[in-house]
């Protein structure tokens, strides 16, 4: 049991979720920093971290074709820079819980999108999961998210100073983040499963290298925009330079490189319909970190929602270990 691809893939997905949950903390700890600066700063750190790691992965990187590097660049742009720009902007406009709740729909959205997308040419064919297999776990996850949403929306209604227009824009930006991160894991998994002989660590490093020029360009353009528009912001690292640099480095290492590595390992072991549901670990981690920052225990409906989320994940794993799914993982 402990050596099965489903079990090890789940552990890797859990580790990725724990680290990805950290990205929701950054904008809350740096509210005075523009979202663009946080996004480009995080991925500038990710790219710089990837440079020395590229030496250890040089054999794998030499195997990548020009088409592979173009794919890494697309994944880096959509799944890294644009995604976090949307997410950080949403968090700064609404606080942590609302974007976390909207991002929490990813397990449902990705599972449905992956199933509707079906088998792609050049990728390893999986034994399909039927809708009746997916429906119970998706329903549990959706109900759990709805309970958590209800509690947080009540908090918003109780705040007399809430700017509904600002919250609405934040929600829209979070939906944009969902769109980016629906595309990214499916496309990334398709590449990994089409290249089972390639190292997931090397592919994570390749995406870090591809992110570096994008982050450098974005950081430079943001600096130039501040100067041209007369924005009073202490560049290059803002009013709390050491905290900003340290936090970006920590998020870049843990959430970007190591989180991507763990997710790549999970993607090679799990069908996309199952892996998509396991992104629920990111939602659970982000909620846990948010309540730690708030300094109080979550409400009873929130805890019930978390239980339902976990139950949905366990049901998904039960579906993934069915005979049809087992045949899809002969290794």
């Amino acid at each position: 049991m402990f050596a099965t691809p489903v079990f090890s893939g789940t552990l890797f997905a859990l580790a990725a979720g724990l680290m990805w949950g950290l990205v929701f903390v950054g904008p809350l700890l740096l509210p005075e920093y523009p979202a663009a600066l946080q996004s480009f700063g995080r991925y500038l750190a990710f790219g710089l971290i990837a440079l020395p790691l590229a030496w250890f992965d040089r054999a794998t990187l030499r195997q990548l074709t020009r088409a592979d590097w173009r794919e890494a660049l697309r994944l880096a742009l959509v799944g890294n820079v644009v995604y976090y720009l949307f997410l950080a902007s949403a968090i700064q406009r609404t606080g942590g819980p609302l974007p976390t709740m909207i991002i929490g729909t990813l397990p449902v959205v990705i599972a449905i999108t992956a199933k509707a997308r079906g088998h792609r040419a050049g990728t390893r064919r999986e034994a399909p999961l039927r809708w009746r297999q997916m429906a119970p776990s998706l329903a549990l996850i959706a109900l759990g998210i709805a309970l958590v949403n209800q509690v947080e929306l009540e908090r918003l209604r109780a705040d007399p100073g809430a700017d509904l227009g600002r919250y609405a824009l934040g929600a829209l930006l979070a939906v944009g983040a969902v769109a980016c991160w629906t595309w990214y894991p499916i496309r990334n998994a398709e590449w990994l499963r089409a290249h089972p002989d390639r190292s997931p660590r090397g592919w994570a490093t390749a995406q870090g290298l591809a992110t570096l020029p994008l982050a450098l360009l974005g950081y430079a353009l943001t600096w130039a925009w501040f100067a041209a528009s007369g924005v009073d912001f202490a560049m290059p690292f803002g009013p709390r330079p050491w905290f900003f640099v340290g936090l970006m480095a920590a998020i870049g290492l843990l959430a970007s490189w190591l989180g991507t590595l763990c997710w790549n390992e999970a993607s090679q072991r799990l069908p996309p319909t199952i892996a998509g549901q396991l992104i629920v670990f990111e939602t659970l981690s982000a909620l846990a970190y948010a309540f730690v920052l708030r300094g109080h225990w979550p409400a009873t409906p929130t805890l019930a929602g978390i239980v339902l989320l976990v139950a949905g994940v366990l049901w998904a794993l039960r579906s993934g270990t069915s005979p049809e799914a087992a045949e899809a993982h002969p290794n």
Side-chain angles (χ1 to χ4, degrees):
M1 172 183 175
F2 294 99
T4 63
V6 169
F7 182 82
S8 59
T10 301
L11 291 181
F12 278 115
L14 172 60
L18 289 170
M19 286 179 281
W20 281 339
L22 295 172
V23 306
F24 292 81
V25 175
L28 298 176
L29 296 178
L30 294 168
E32 73 274 28
Y33 279 71
L37 201 64
Q38 294 193 45
S39 180
F40 295 129
R42 169 191 172 182
Y43 288 108
L44 182 58
F46 178 30
L48 292 173
I49 289 168
L51 282 177
L53 294 172
W55 171 258
F56 299 100
D57 294 316
R58 60 190 182 278
T60 298
L61 296 176
R62 279 196 294 265
Q63 296 175 351
L64 298 179
T65 65
R66 185 173 298 179
D68 293 332
W69 282 109
R70 285 197 297 268
E71 183 69 6
L73 188 65
R74 284 190 289 266
L75 290 167
L77 176 62
V78 177
N80 290 348
V81 177
V82 178
Y83 163 74
Y84 197 59
L85 180 59
F86 282 163
L87 180 60
S89 299
I91 292 173
Q92 288 192 327
R93 284 163 174 78
T94 67
L98 181 61
T100 301
M101 296 182 301
I102 294 175
I103 294 297
T105 65
L106 274 170
V108 178
V109 175
I110 291 175
I112 293 174
T113 303
K115 182 168 177 60
R117 188 172 171 83
H119 176 258
R120 311 299 293 179
T123 64
R124 190 171 68 205
R125 185 179 294 276
E126 303 290 352
L129 283 173
R130 297 181 178 89
W131 282 113
R132 62 179 174 79
Q133 291 177 280
M134 295 173 59
S137 58
L138 291 176
L140 287 171
I141 289 172
L143 182 57
I145 290 170
L147 280 174
V148 175
N149 286 357
Q150 181 183 7
V151 174
E152 296 303 328
L153 289 175
E154 286 298 326
R155 288 175 58 88
L156 295 182
R157 295 191 189 101
D159 183 4
D163 184 340
L164 295 181
R166 183 177 175 84
Y167 276 117
L169 178 57
L172 184 62
L173 288 166
V175 171
V178 168
C180 291
W181 244 91
T182 298
W183 180 87
Y184 172 85
I186 294 175
R187 188 69 174 254
N188 188 54
E190 287 176 355
W191 188 95
L192 285 164
R193 299 172 82 79
H195 303 84
D197 57 321
R198 303 293 177 84
S199 164
R201 189 186 72 182
W203 187 232
T205 302
Q207 290 185 42
L209 295 175
T211 302
L212 183 57
L214 296 173
L216 279 171
L217 177 61
Y219 208 96
L221 290 176
T222 301
W223 194 344
W225 171 257
F226 286 170
S229 58
V231 174
D232 185 18
F233 192 82
M235 292 296 287
F237 303 124
R240 292 189 285 164
W242 289 112
F243 185 77
F244 173 72
V245 171
L247 184 61
M248 293 302 101
I251 293 177
L253 175 62
L254 297 176
S256 297
W257 182 79
L258 193 55
T260 301
L261 166 60
C262 290
W263 186 255
N264 287 348
E265 293 282 359
S267 296
Q268 281 196 327
R269 291 165 169 80
L270 300 168
T273 47
I274 296 297
Q277 295 182 67
L278 295 187
I279 293 180
V280 72
F281 288 139
E282 178 186 19
T283 304
L284 293 173
S285 300
L287 284 171
Y289 301 152
F291 284 112
V292 168
L293 287 177
R294 283 183 180 178
H296 66 74
W297 193 253
T300 300
T302 300
L303 289 175
I306 291 172
V307 170
L308 287 172
L309 290 171
V310 174
V313 169
L314 295 177
W315 198 298
L317 295 181
R318 183 172 177 268
S319 300
T321 54
S322 64
E324 293 105 326
E327 291 172 3
H329 298 280
N331 294 329

